[in-house]
Amino acid sequence: MHRGGFMNRCASYRETSERFRGGDALLFIGGALVLGVFSAVLFLLNLGASSISGASDEVIYVRMVQGILHDDHIFPLYHGNTLAFEKPPLKLWLSAVFPWLLGESNLSFRLMDGLLGLTAVLLTVLLAYKLFASGIGALCAGFLVLAAPEWLLFHHSFRRAVLDSLLTVLSLGIALAAWSLISRLSRREPLNAPLWMLSLLGSLAVLTKSVGGLVPVACAVCALCTVESARRRYRELWPLVLPALILALYVGLLALIGGYSAVRVFVGVEILDRVMNGFDGHNIGDPWFYLRYVFHRGGLAPVYILVLGLGSSLIAARSNPQFRFLLPWVVLPIVLYSVSSSRVPWYLSPFASYASIIAIFGARWAVEQAWSNLVQMCLGVVVVILAIPAYSRALDRALVHISRSTTRLDIDVVVEQLKRSHERFVVCGNALSGRSQPIRGRFNVEGIYREMLKPHLTVVKKHEELSQGGRYVVFAREGDVQCLPPDGVILRRLQPNGTRSHVVAVIEYNRVVQ
């Protein structure tokens, strides 16, 4: 692309920005406030009402965070009593902040993710405005991204304590830095600030989700390759290799700390095995999974408006640098993750923002091609009317899911109640197992709530081992004579579940030491 063409196009958007005054500015500010409040409701309402999910990786990450809080397992991380080399530590370090400040609860473990969701929506608006200088269009992209099921519905959404939330925010930061870098390249300005910011954010993404963190960096590189001035000045872009170098250094650190077994887990199992063989339940035999997911099930954005936006952007990309910049952020992840043998919807979560921006502004571009204002207005009305049902269905599904996200485990309810009314707790034997490995395909959720009883928790093999008197709550296997105190009052019985085959008696008693 010629420098003059790029500059003229950017100048036209700057002129549009100059006209963004008065009533338009007030409308934008009001819309931004509404979007912020609405997003906060979607990401934070009932956030801690449901128990930690044993059906997703959330249970693993929360156990790792508890290792940071209780045992100072800053690095390497532990999953229960087991060394965990599978994931980099950055997101888990951040996730420990709110439990450390507010105490352990379902809400505190997820609060970082909910706030990252709100941040991602605001960054989506900022990126859209930076690209197209349209406040109303940017707000529409912000509202549209809330319809992405990856952000609110799945086990790896912003309402769960997982890694994808931070990766999404870092991906948006990388995109903003990449666009600033392209603008400076075209104006022949110094590149240091956006270039190093992009490299830094890419490095943080790698420390969040290893190779998954390299995908947004690869998208940025592809976007840069569409700009002729970037191809001419490629030698100045050498800091872009920093994220890959950080990943290599991290592997070396694992080898130094954990030896061959650590590298085998991190590189062999988590990366190579995921790509080559896939994991159970990850749509291993379906190479077209993502295309069906995006264009049939409505993943990333409502199907109709996404198809219209993508089709228009493909046509407009020849003369429009903004669309040429955005396309790699949607197309490349689908291609890369389709090649991998492990395919799950939330791998695309960090890229829903770009699909929403393309959908909105691609549709606007298509409408603007009409030959008169009247036809443009009519086409615009038709687009909106056709898009509203799919969008409203997506939001309704999200709101219903959020309002019903109140499923609680018995152990969760009991621990929450007892922490408010008691101070001292005893677990007899393995009544509440603390084992951290999968049991028949399920992870031990009760170990999480057992850790939440700390620091006032004692573990014994029989109740006679207690050396102090006072008021206690005991968790013991029902029928275990050694652990059941003779003078206790049974408060509740916890029935067997997927990780425990026995009944647990929750007993209150006062022990008098002679």
Side-chain angles (χ1 to χ4, degrees):
M1 179 180 57
H2 296 295
R3 176 174 176 266
F6 181 88
M7 294 300 294
N8 291 336
R9 181 68 64 174
C10 290
S12 68
Y13 284 106
R14 282 197 296 272
E15 291 171 5
T16 305
S17 180
E18 290 297 324
R19 295 195 299 270
F20 186 61
R21 296 290 186 270
D24 288 341
L26 291 176
L27 182 62
F28 177 74
I29 293 172
L33 289 175
V34 172
L35 175 61
V37 172
F38 187 47
S39 301
V41 169
L42 291 177
F43 290 120
L44 301 178
L45 181 65
N46 281 342
L47 189 61
S50 60
S51 299
I52 299 298
S53 173
S56 78
D57 295 338
E58 182 182 35
V59 63
I60 304 174
Y61 301 140
V62 170
R63 289 288 275 149
M64 291 181 180
V65 170
Q66 287 181 322
I68 296 172
L69 295 170
H70 296 301
D71 304 311
D72 295 327
H73 290 154
I74 306 298
F75 190 79
L77 300 175
Y78 276 75
H79 177 201
N81 300 319
T82 306
L83 276 167
F85 295 109
E86 289 85 353
K87 303 296 183 183
L90 179 59
K91 170 56 170 59
L92 301 171
W93 290 342
L94 293 178
S95 294
V97 171
F98 285 114
W100 179 68
L101 291 174
L102 307 177
E104 291 179 71
S105 66
N106 302 329
L107 174 62
S108 66
F109 282 121
R110 295 170 177 154
L111 188 54
M112 178 65 70
D113 299 81
L115 294 176
L116 286 171
L118 179 59
T119 303
V121 173
L122 298 178
L123 287 178
T124 300
V125 174
L126 178 60
L127 177 62
Y129 184 77
K130 287 282 188 181
L131 288 170
F132 295 98
S134 170
I136 305 306
L139 286 176
C140 289
F143 277 104
L144 184 62
V145 78
L146 293 174
E150 304 84 357
W151 281 31
L152 291 168
L153 295 178
F154 293 141
H155 291 307
H156 284 245
S157 71
F158 283 102
R159 295 179 56 84
R160 300 291 184 181
V162 292
L163 308 181
D164 306 82
S165 52
L166 180 59
L167 183 61
T168 300
V169 170
L170 291 172
S171 171
L172 286 163
I174 291 170
L176 284 164
W179 179 248
S180 177
L181 181 61
I182 287 175
S183 301
R184 291 198 176 202
L185 280 165
S186 300
R187 296 193 298 264
R188 299 183 181 277
E189 294 179 355
L191 309 178
N192 287 344
L195 180 58
W196 283 103
M197 179 58 69
L198 195 162
S199 301
L200 173 62
L201 293 174
S203 301
L204 295 179
V206 164
L207 293 177
T208 299
K209 211 172 180 184
S210 63
V211 171
L214 290 177
V215 176
V217 178
C219 294
V221 171
C222 287
L224 286 168
C225 289
T226 66
V227 181
E228 183 181 347
S229 54
R231 296 194 295 269
R232 289 199 305 264
R233 300 174 64 180
Y234 71 93
R235 295 180 190 276
E236 300 177 48
L237 303 180
W238 64 267
L240 293 178
V241 305
L242 182 62
L245 179 61
I246 293 296
L247 180 60
L249 291 175
Y250 181 75
V251 173
L253 180 61
L254 289 182
L256 185 65
I257 294 176
Y260 170 76
S261 60
V263 176
R264 182 180 60 83
V265 169
F266 184 77
V267 178
V269 176
E270 279 296 303
I271 298 175
L272 296 180
D273 199 39
R274 187 186 300 267
V275 173
M276 302 301 295
N277 303 315
F279 295 156
D280 289 341
H282 279 204
N283 301 285
I284 297 173
D286 187 3
W288 305 108
F289 169 76
Y290 287 112
L291 291 179
R292 273 194 287 270
Y293 169 70
V294 171
F295 296 111
H296 176 63
R297 302 181 199 172
L300 294 182
V303 175
Y304 169 75
I305 191 170
L306 177 59
V307 170
L308 176 61
L310 272 175
S312 301
S313 63
L314 287 169
I315 299 171
R318 184 173 181 179
S319 59
N320 192 304
Q322 284 79 9
F323 287 122
R324 197 154 51 244
F325 172 81
L326 282 171
L327 281 171
W329 298 87
V330 178
V331 175
L332 186 61
I334 293 176
V335 172
L336 291 178
Y337 288 124
S338 293
V339 171
S340 171
S341 294
S342 279
R343 305 177 188 94
V344 285
W346 52 82
Y347 285 173
L348 297 183
S349 296
F351 309 99
S353 293
Y354 316 110
S356 296
I357 297 172
I358 275 185
I360 292 296
F361 288 96
R364 189 187 74 167
W365 180 88
V367 170
E368 288 174 347
Q369 303 313 299
W371 54 87
S372 71
N373 291 336
L374 179 60
V375 176
Q376 288 182 13
M377 183 177 67
C378 293
L379 288 176
V381 170
V382 170
V383 169
V384 171
I385 290 175
L386 291 176
I388 283 177
Y391 180 71
S392 61
R393 283 196 300 270
L395 277 186
D396 180 66
R397 184 172 57 167
L399 288 170
V400 169
H401 172 76
I402 291 167
S403 64
R404 294 178 179 176
S405 294
T406 56
T407 304
R408 302 289 296 275
L409 301 171
D410 286 346
I411 179 67
D412 180 15
V413 175
V414 167
V415 166
E416 181 180 309
Q417 294 172 346
L418 292 177
K419 285 180 70 176
R420 291 198 297 258
S421 58
H422 296 73
E423 293 183 354
R424 306 177 69 184
F425 309 96
V426 176
V427 174
C428 287
N430 61 349
L432 298 180
S433 174
R435 289 175 291 178
S436 59
Q437 296 302 313
I439 301 175
R440 295 180 182 176
R442 296 174 181 262
F443 292 99
N444 189 328
V445 180
E446 296 193 349
I448 292 175
Y449 298 105
R450 167 179 163 170
E451 295 297 302
M452 285 186 183
L453 294 172
K454 288 185 175 180
H456 309 292
L457 175 67
T458 304
V459 180
V460 298
K461 292 184 178 179
K462 51 187 178 180
H463 68 88
E464 286 85 356
E465 294 178 10
L466 297 173
S467 59
Q468 296 179 346
R471 188 179 179 215
Y472 291 87
V473 173
V474 176
F475 295 85
R477 287 190 181 216
E478 190 168 68
D480 188 341
V481 178
Q482 289 186 323
C483 281
L484 292 174
D487 54 349
V489 177
I490 295 181
L491 301 178
R492 188 158 177 173
R493 288 180 171 86
L494 305 181
Q495 298 303 315
N497 57 32
T499 59
R500 170 173 43 80
S501 59
H502 56 272
V503 176
V504 173
V506 184
I507 308 162
E508 180 184 66
Y509 79 111
N510 288 294
R511 180 180 177 83
V512 179
V513 177
Q514 302 296 332

